[in-house]
Structures are given as structure tokens and as C-alpha cells.
Amino acid sequence: MNHEKLCVADLHLHTNLSFCAPEKTVVSSFLPFCDSEGIKRIGISNHLYSGMGIEHTLKIKNEIDELKDTSPVEILLGCELELFYDEEPVLNAQNARNFEYVLIAPSHIFNQFSHYKSFDLSTSEKIRDLMIDNFKRACRLELGVPTAICHPLYPICASNQQKILDSMSDDMLRECYTLAAESDKCIEVHACVYRNDVPLDDEGLSPTYIHMLSIAKECGCKFHFGTDAHSPDSFVGKHTLLERAAQRAGICKDDLWSLAKL
């Protein structure tokens, strides 16, 4: 059966302004590979660091502006806002206007553990409850620009990810994704669907994350695609996996976020 291509935009890419990316990764690093990947639009969404304001992340704007006139690929300026319990978000409805879209990351728990030293994360259920609560906080955050939740309910760097995911009932997922749909928060089809942090099937995909996407589809969410690539190595060859995961979750073109389709 022929399927209409869904993954034509990758809205979750990092450059060296994100400290977790290699120094050599710049916006133009991804452009030579977009044609073979079928990508017609990219979004640069570097991390916003609370101690640096938004100025650091906005340094990429000049590079994007210089490329826009010559690049065959459309380039959007976004950002990744980390949402922590113990500090106010860097963005608000006023300064968010500097970006064309915002990705909210409510599940940066283990790779930013210093933010959660006062929390009891001793069991999978407690980690689950924290992630769900923070997901709901992300849904309620109003920024006045197109907003999505990236790597939703993905316990980044946790050693027991599958156990955490298994503790989430479908009713819990429906409550989260219904709130996301009602608050107009897009859901990301993220690299967690193929990363080997959890068991993968014969297609190299996670049945658990595909099931979660299918619940989000059932709840009326919109979707976009994001490799979360920090270099071309994590960009090339990944979009077919994202596309296949979306197809298996029942996602079609009508389910895509406006920024995710051309």
C-alpha cells in the first residue's frame, strides 16, 4: 500500500549553541542531507538555559537569516524550553515572540538531576507521577506562539525506562493527551521511538511508544517530527523510522501540526 509521505519537516535540531552538541554542528551541517531524507523544512530548537536568558539561543538568528536566501530548505527558528519545578520558565508570552515556535521539554529529569535533588524518585511510579504532573504543567503553559511538547513522557537517561512506561495506564495517557489536545499543544514523534533505551521490535521501533502515539491520536492531538539530532549522524537515516512509527500509530496528514506539513 502506498502512503503519502508524512515526515517532510524535522523541527527538533540542535547546533553548537546547545552545549550537548559538538562544536562543529551548525545550521548548515544538516542541509546537504535534507534532500535524500525528504526533508523540506527544518527547525533549529537549541536549549534555553535559565542562567543565560534567551539571548544565547537567539545568536543563531543571524546564521539562519544568512542561509534563508540560498537554502532550498526552509529554516525556522525555534527553541527547546526546559520546564523544571524549582524555577520559573525562561519564556513568557512576551519574549516567546522572538521564536517561530517553542518546544517544551517537561521530562528532562535524569540528565538534569540537580534540579530534582529534593524529590523522591526512588520508584518507577514516583518518576512516572512526576513526569505526568510536569507534562500537564507544560500543557497549561501559554506562550502565544505555536507550541509543542517534545519527547513526551520520555524519561531521558533513566535506567529503567521500560518499567516506568509500563506503569502508565491507558487512562493516564488519555488524561495527558486529552489535555494536550484541548490546550493546543502539539505532540512530537520523537527519536525515542527507535532509541534502544527500551525494547525494539523487528522494525527497530518501540511498540510502547507507538502505542502512546496511538493514544495521542485517539485524543485528537496534532503531531510533528523531531530527530533531536545534535549532528548529522543522528539525522541521516532516521526519518524513515519516524515516518513508519507514525504510520503504525494511525497518524495521517490531517493529524499533522501546521508547521509539520508543506
Side-chain angles (χ1 to χ4, degrees):
M1 180 183 297
N2 292 324
H3 295 276
E4 183 176 12
K5 185 169 176 56
L6 298 175
C7 186
V8 295
D10 187 337
L11 300 180
H12 193 164
L13 300 176
H14 293 269
T15 72
N16 55 20
L17 289 182
S18 292
F19 299 148
C20 46
E23 181 63 30
K24 64 182 180 180
T25 303
V26 294
V27 177
S28 59
S29 300
F30 300 103
L31 298 182
F33 307 99
C34 286
D35 184 55
S36 60
E37 292 291 303
I39 296 299
K40 303 180 185 301
R41 175 183 291 152
I42 63 172
I44 306 300
S45 51
N46 284 308
H47 292 290
L48 286 173
Y49 296 106
S50 57
M52 306 181 76
I54 68 171
E55 290 74 21
H56 174 77
T57 307
L58 285 172
K59 290 177 182 178
I60 203 74
K61 188 176 187 305
N62 288 338
E63 184 182 350
I64 292 175
D65 288 344
E66 289 174 2
L67 288 168
K68 279 186 174 181
D69 291 336
T70 58
S71 172
V73 178
E74 185 180 0
I75 307 171
L76 301 183
L77 172 61
C79 64
E80 183 174 359
L81 171 65
E82 296 177 333
L83 190 64
F84 297 121
Y85 266 100
D86 54 356
E87 59 185 46
E88 287 297 312
V90 178
L91 283 184
N92 54 43
Q94 183 173 357
N95 60 16
R97 298 173 190 167
N98 289 280
F99 301 97
E100 293 174 271
Y101 69 96
V102 174
L103 305 181
I104 305 178
S107 62
H108 282 176
I109 296 175
F110 293 91
N111 62 338
Q112 297 286 341
F113 190 75
S114 61
H115 286 81
Y116 291 98
K117 288 186 294 187
S118 61
F119 288 81
D120 181 0
L121 301 177
S122 58
T123 68
S124 298
E125 290 74 19
K126 289 177 179 178
I127 296 168
R128 173 202 68 197
D129 291 346
L130 175 62
M131 283 204 309
I132 287 176
D133 197 12
N134 224 21
F135 181 98
K136 293 176 180 178
R137 291 180 66 233
C139 289
R140 297 186 184 103
L141 187 62
E142 295 298 333
L143 297 173
V145 297
T147 306
I149 298 177
C150 59
H151 42 69
L153 301 174
Y154 173 39
I156 297 173
C157 298
S159 59
N160 54 341
Q161 286 190 24
Q162 189 62 51
K163 187 174 180 181
I164 296 167
L165 299 176
D166 288 341
S167 72
M168 297 182 191
S169 68
D170 284 0
D171 285 343
M172 291 175 181
L173 295 173
R174 288 190 185 97
E175 185 177 5
C176 288
Y177 290 128
T178 296
L179 182 58
E182 291 174 348
S183 58
D184 199 25
K185 299 297 189 296
C186 176
I187 295 299
E188 185 170 77
V189 183
H190 178 260
C192 59
V193 299
Y194 53 74
R195 289 180 178 174
N196 59 7
D197 305 312
V198 296
L200 305 179
D201 62 18
D202 291 343
E203 287 194 277
L205 296 169
S206 163
T208 300
Y209 279 116
I210 291 173
H211 176 69
M212 291 169 69
L213 290 172
S214 72
I215 296 290
K217 151 84 174 178
E218 172 191 319
C219 294
C221 290
K222 295 296 184 181
F223 300 89
H224 74 276
F225 297 92
T227 54
D228 202 354
H230 290 59
S231 69
D233 288 345
S234 48
F235 180 82
V236 175
K238 306 304 183 184
H239 299 96
T240 54
L241 293 171
L242 293 179
E243 173 115 6
R244 182 59 182 147
Q247 290 173 350
R248 285 177 51 180
I251 296 168
C252 62
K253 189 173 182 180
D254 288 343
D255 300 313
L256 296 182
W257 201 24
S258 59
L259 295 180
K261 54 187 177 182
L262 285 80

